[in-house]
Amino acid sequence: MSLPVLSSSAVKFRRVLAHFPQELSLAFAYGSGVFRQAGASAEHGETNMLDFVFAVDDAVTWHMTNLVKNRSHYSFLKFFGPKKISSIQRYGAGIYYNTLVPCNDRVIKYGVISTDALIEDLFHWKTLYVAGRLQKPVKILAQNENSRLQAALVSNLKSAVTAAFLMLPESFSEEDLYMQIAGLSYSGDFRMIIGEDKSKVQNIVKPNVAHFQKLYSTILQDCPQVVYKHQLGRLEASIDKSPEGQFTQLMALPKTLQQKITALVNPPGKNRDVEEILLQVAHDPDCGFLVHQGISGIVRSSSLVQSAKSILTAGAKKSVTYSLRKLYKMTKGGLKKTS
């Protein structure tokens, strides 16, 4: 199975790529500057910051070339050179962001992650930071012929569906499923308490159901527990909530999530294997809640470290400016909800 590519015909995204070193294993654009969100006007999307992620095989070489081409994009860390930048990149979610960068009459933010770190996150949900972004619709701008990366991209989508099934009731709507999936990478993120619009997940899903369908239709069509009526834009799900059914789903979850779940229920000092503990969880009425708690644990730690790291990578002035923008969007979203 190949990953559905939501390719962009918009020249503006391709023009941005032309400003950067071309040794990319994957490049994609995401966020409110790319996909319209509920409550935002079309004009607002044209002025929003554009968000990009670049996956690179050799981070040191890529940053070295980018420092020559785009030195002004970097904070004071540019004086320490590409090796130090690449070393800092490995902390937290393994991604290095340059933010509030003027480019082609727009403001952009771009993150650089090593291909190996991305594959690790997609397969195992080590941080769920970039993997979480790729569970939602993105615009793929460049992708090389890396079969392992391709397999990891598909695995990430399948894992998102499995985790959502465990947290949803036996029957649910297609929109319920996409809401659950879109919310995975925000579970436990402290920025959802301060810094993000509380309706963010709903705002992402409602105007973009067709994009979610394109991303997940093949996986859902292959799922025996779902009758997916794509022509009608509807699915009929009847999820097996028996202990046996839940155990099968738990065993299919990414490794890091399994470890987080087992840590929640396994008493300290008791040496039991993962399979035995997950069998216990499968019988627990709170199975879905434990899955949610496990995901929250992954996201919480990676988002905290990544946010702290951004003070270094963006610099103090840009960090304050970026945070104020986020607070403004959160306040604006809250005011709309109460009006």
Side-chain angles (χ1 to χ4, degrees):
M1 172 191 160
S2 61
L3 185 74
V5 176
L6 299 174
S7 57
S8 171
S9 57
V11 177
K12 63 182 176 184
F13 300 118
R14 311 266 177 210
R15 283 181 177 162
V16 168
L17 282 193
H19 291 267
F20 297 95
Q22 295 303 295
E23 295 75 22
L24 304 170
S25 60
L26 181 71
F28 64 89
Y30 67 95
S32 58
V34 183
F35 294 96
R36 187 176 169 187
Q37 295 188 4
S41 65
E43 293 78 20
H44 186 63
E46 289 300 313
T47 57
N48 267 10
M49 183 164 63
L50 293 174
D51 298 300
F52 297 87
V53 167
F54 304 146
V56 302
D57 290 343
D58 185 339
V60 174
T61 300
W62 196 93
H63 283 298
M64 182 171 64
T65 309
N66 199 42
L67 280 164
V68 173
K69 289 171 72 79
N70 301 302
R71 191 170 178 82
S72 64
H73 295 183
Y74 292 82
S75 68
F76 68 93
L77 292 174
K78 58 178 169 273
F79 298 111
F80 294 92
K83 284 188 178 177
K84 178 55 71 176
I85 288 169
S86 299
S87 175
I88 290 168
Q89 178 179 308
R90 287 193 289 270
Y91 286 95
I95 189 166
Y96 186 104
Y97 272 105
N98 284 324
T99 190
L100 297 176
V101 173
C103 184
N104 293 351
D105 300 321
R106 291 291 294 268
V107 176
I108 72 166
K109 177 179 77 175
Y110 64 93
V112 183
I113 186 170
S114 79
T115 307
D116 287 343
L118 174 58
I119 289 171
E120 174 83 4
D121 197 29
L122 291 167
F123 271 131
H124 304 304
W125 288 8
K126 189 176 178 183
T127 69
L128 249 181
Y129 202 87
V130 181
R133 279 152 180 71
L134 285 161
Q135 290 163 357
K136 296 178 272 291
V138 302
K139 299 279 189 185
I140 301 288
L141 305 175
Q143 186 176 353
N144 69 9
E145 297 296 321
N146 184 328
S147 59
R148 190 159 173 264
L149 175 57
Q150 179 65 37
L153 288 163
V154 175
S155 174
N156 180 47
L157 298 181
K158 288 181 176 177
S159 296
V161 170
T162 302
F165 282 175
L166 282 159
M167 291 187 286
L168 285 164
E170 188 175 349
S171 298
F172 50 85
S173 70
E174 186 171 14
E175 191 174 290
D176 290 338
L177 174 62
Y178 299 145
M179 290 278 286
Q180 193 74 60
I181 289 171
L184 293 175
S185 62
Y186 296 116
S187 302
D189 191 337
F190 77 96
R191 291 170 300 179
M192 292 303 289
I193 301 170
I194 180 165
E196 290 286 4
D197 183 352
K198 301 300 182 292
S199 305
K200 188 174 181 71
V201 173
Q202 185 176 319
N203 293 346
I204 289 169
V205 174
K206 283 192 175 293
N208 295 299
V209 168
H211 292 304
F212 277 93
Q213 287 175 334
K214 189 171 183 181
L215 196 56
Y216 286 98
S217 62
T218 303
I219 290 169
L220 293 174
Q221 284 164 5
D222 292 341
C223 179
Q225 299 183 82
V226 172
V227 177
Y228 189 60
K229 299 182 176 179
H230 186 62
Q231 302 302 322
L232 300 174
R234 190 175 78 236
L235 64 80
E236 293 177 4
S238 182
I239 304 303
D240 184 358
K241 290 291 178 179
S242 70
E244 295 77 17
Q246 294 195 138
F247 177 66
T248 300
Q249 291 168 355
L250 287 165
M251 289 300 292
L253 291 174
K255 182 176 68 177
T256 307
L257 179 52
Q258 290 181 340
Q259 291 167 347
K260 289 285 184 183
I261 294 168
T262 57
L264 288 168
V265 297
N266 197 34
K270 199 165 184 181
N271 191 19
R272 295 190 296 163
D273 62 30
V274 171
E275 190 170 332
E276 182 186 348
I277 299 164
L278 291 181
L279 184 59
Q280 175 191 326
V281 173
H283 285 79
D284 194 321
D286 292 328
C287 176
F289 177 71
L290 290 168
V291 173
H292 179 267
Q293 289 294 94
I295 292 169
S296 296
I298 296 170
V299 174
R300 188 180 302 112
S301 56
S302 65
S303 65
L304 277 168
V305 177
Q306 191 64 35
S307 294
K309 190 172 78 172
S310 70
I311 298 169
L312 290 175
T313 60
K317 185 179 177 183
K318 280 187 177 180
S319 292
V320 170
T321 305
Y322 183 70
S323 298
L324 288 173
R325 283 189 176 198
K326 284 287 188 183
L327 284 169
Y328 172 73
K329 284 174 74 175
M330 180 190 75
T331 307
K332 195 175 174 185
L335 288 171
K336 277 185 181 177
K337 203 170 181 181
T338 54
S339 62

